């Protein structure tokens, strides 16, 4: 009789063991000759050398499946325990499988274009109206790169700018003060990474979420870096951020130039960067439109209505200026 210690390193134990340890109980039933105990990410097994060796191999196969799909169904456990290969889930256009095996993929042509552009370029700009999935797809691409071990960390950032409201002094420590600005990034991550694993990544700085001001002086290597709401950066801020790009790193900049919350006298850094870097090789650019909106169908109508209103306002101002010019000439 020998004892083997198996470490489950890359998967959330809750996802692997199942609700109320249902998966682990099934595994124990499938290997009745072995004494199996599991705690945290450690599985201890006692039995004959050949049987424990086979058990370890099967557990590693289950771990690989769970890491890939973020789920471990009963039929997969049965297949792998019997030495069969489980049926692969369809991977066409799937970026990653989120929590509970939910497939996350490009749902519109431009979302898929963002996936392709990210693969070909080290810096990608993704612009478009609210609800087009720019940030969500960008974070999914970052999580995929981390899971595939193409990078060692994910860095997500946003400028801490209120949307037209002055919130004043916020209570708490630094994290408490900046978290409200970064909540949309947390929401996306919680869709893609099981809670226990996400907490571990955050505590070990594998995933870092920080306001833009904290980026100065850093060189970001072996990482996917996402800057969200970039339309609210100043020209100095976005230049500082863009020059943080290090070796084996990729950067995605997302923003909506129709939702700038900066003071009227301040030029948006995103608008300037798009013009300055227009013809630089190695920089990709994807522009989303109303047809890419994947939120409630009313969002598309709202965006369309505001675009029409803005056009009317612009045409009205041009008409007024033309009349004044005509009067002056008289």
């Amino acid at each position: 009789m020998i004892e083997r210690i198996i470490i489950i390193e890359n998967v959330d134990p809750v996802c692997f063991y199942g609700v109320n340890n249902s998966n682990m109980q099934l595994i124990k039933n499938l290997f009745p000759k072995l004494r199996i105990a599991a705690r945290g990410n450690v599985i201890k097994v006692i039995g004959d050398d050949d049987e424990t060796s086979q058990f370890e191999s099967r557990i590693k196969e289950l771990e690989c499946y769970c890491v890939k799909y973020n789920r471990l169904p009963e039929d997969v456990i049965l297949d792998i325990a019997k030495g069969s290969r489980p049926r692969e889930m369809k991977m066409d256009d799937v970026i990653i499988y989120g929590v509970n095996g939910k497939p996350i993929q490009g749902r519109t042509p431009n979302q898929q274009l963002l996936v392709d552009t990210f693969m070909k370029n080290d810096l990608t700009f993704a612009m478009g109206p609210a609800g087009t999935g720019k940030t969500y797809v960008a974070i999914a691409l970052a999580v995929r790169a981390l899971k595939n071990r193409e990078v060692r960390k994910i860095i997500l950032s946003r400028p801490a700018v209120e949307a037209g409201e002055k919130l004043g002094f916020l209570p708490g420590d630094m994290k408490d003060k900046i978290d409200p600005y970064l909540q949309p990034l947390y929401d996306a991550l919680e869709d893609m990474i099981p809670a226990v694993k996400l907490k571990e990544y955050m505590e070990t700085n594998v995933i870092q979420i920080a306001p833009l001001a904290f980026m100065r002086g850093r060189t970001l290597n072996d990482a996917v870096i996402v800057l969200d709401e970039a339309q609210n950066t100043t020209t100095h801020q976005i230049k500082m951020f863009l020059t943080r790009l290090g070796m084996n790193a990729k950067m995605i900049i997302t923003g909506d130039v129709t939702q700038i919350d900066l003071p009227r006298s301040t030029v948006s850094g995103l608008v300037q960067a798009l013009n300055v870097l227009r013809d630089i090789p190695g920089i990709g650019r994807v522009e989303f439109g109303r047809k890419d909106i994947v939120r409630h169908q009313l969002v598309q109508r709202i965006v369309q209505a505001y675009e029409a209103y803005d056009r009317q306002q612009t045409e009205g101002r041009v008409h007024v200026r033309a009349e004044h010019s005509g009067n002056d000439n008289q």
Side-chain angles (χ1 to χ4, degrees), residues 64-318:
C64 289
Y65 187 97
C66 196
V67 167
K68 186 174 183 179
Y69 297 114
N70 266 330
R71 62 195 293 263
L72 195 57
E74 183 177 311
D75 60 332
V76 171
I77 296 173
L78 291 169
D79 286 343
I80 291 178
K82 294 172 184 175
S84 305
R85 291 194 62 81
R87 181 176 57 85
E88 292 283 323
M89 295 173 69
K90 191 177 180 181
M91 289 292 290
D92 291 352
D93 298 332
V94 174
I95 303 171
I96 56 168
Y97 287 91
V99 175
N100 297 323
K102 168 188 163 188
I104 296 172
Q105 59 196 106
R107 294 170 58 185
T108 70
N110 277 330
Q111 287 188 3
Q112 189 57 46
L113 178 60
L114 176 56
V115 175
D116 298 337
T117 304
F118 172 80
M119 298 302 295
K120 298 173 184 174
N121 298 278
D122 289 337
L123 172 59
T124 301
F125 287 96
M127 296 85 63
T132 51
K134 308 179 299 294
T135 302
Y136 199 80
V137 172
I139 293 177
L141 289 167
V143 172
R144 182 177 71 179
L146 181 66
K147 291 183 74 169
N148 291 345
R149 302 190 179 184
E150 297 165 12
V151 297
R152 292 190 295 109
K153 57 192 172 187
I154 296 172
I155 298 167
L156 308 175
S157 187
R158 261 188 160 208
V161 177
E162 294 102 338
E165 299 178 77
K166 296 300 179 185
L167 302 179
F169 292 103
L170 295 172
D173 58 17
M174 181 60 72
K175 184 177 185 302
D176 294 330
K177 293 176 189 294
I178 64 176
D179 272 0
Y181 300 103
L182 306 175
Q183 191 58 49
L185 306 181
Y186 288 114
D187 291 343
L189 286 171
E190 286 167 1
D191 263 7
M192 301 174 196
I193 303 174
V196 173
K197 198 66 183 175
L198 178 58
K199 183 180 179 184
E200 177 190 325
Y201 281 151
M202 302 285 285
E203 289 174 350
T204 56
N205 284 330
V206 171
I207 295 178
Q208 303 170 27
I209 303 181
L212 186 58
F214 286 24
M215 294 294 110
R216 185 172 295 280
R218 300 183 67 183
T219 300
L220 307 175
N221 298 315
D222 296 308
V224 176
I225 310 116
V226 179
L227 174 60
D228 190 32
E229 300 289 348
Q231 76 276 2
N232 288 328
T233 60
T234 65
T235 57
H236 295 296
Q237 284 176 328
I238 201 163
K239 180 182 176 183
M240 176 273 293
F241 185 83
L242 290 170
T243 53
R244 301 306 95 199
L245 190 64
M247 303 302 293
N248 189 39
K250 284 179 174 264
M251 189 176 279
I252 306 178
I253 313 291
T254 72
D256 177 5
V257 294
T258 68
Q259 295 195 57
I260 298 173
D261 299 312
L262 296 168
R264 288 183 180 274
S265 59
T266 304
V267 176
S268 167
L270 177 61
V271 173
Q272 185 193 62
L274 291 170
N275 290 325
V276 171
L277 304 176
R278 183 177 299 275
D279 300 318
I280 304 297
I283 298 178
R285 178 171 173 160
V286 179
E287 297 196 20
F288 292 80
R290 288 196 310 269
K291 292 181 179 178
D292 297 300
I293 292 174
V294 291
R295 290 182 186 165
H296 193 287
Q297 59 183 0
L298 269 179
V299 175
Q300 194 172 90
R301 298 174 194 165
I302 290 167
V303 170
Q304 188 172 2
Y306 270 97
E307 286 178 354
Y309 175 79
D310 289 340
R311 280 197 301 271
Q312 290 174 358
Q313 293 294 103
T314 302
E315 290 167 1
R317 285 194 292 269
V318 170

Side-chain angles (χ1 to χ4, degrees), residues 1-4 32-35 45-52:
M1 301 286 282
I2 68 163
E3 177 181 285
R4 289 182 187 269
K33 295 180 181 179
L34 301 176
R35 290 171 53 195
V45 56
I46 300 173
D48 292 341
D49 188 17
D50 290 344
E51 290 180 350
T52 56

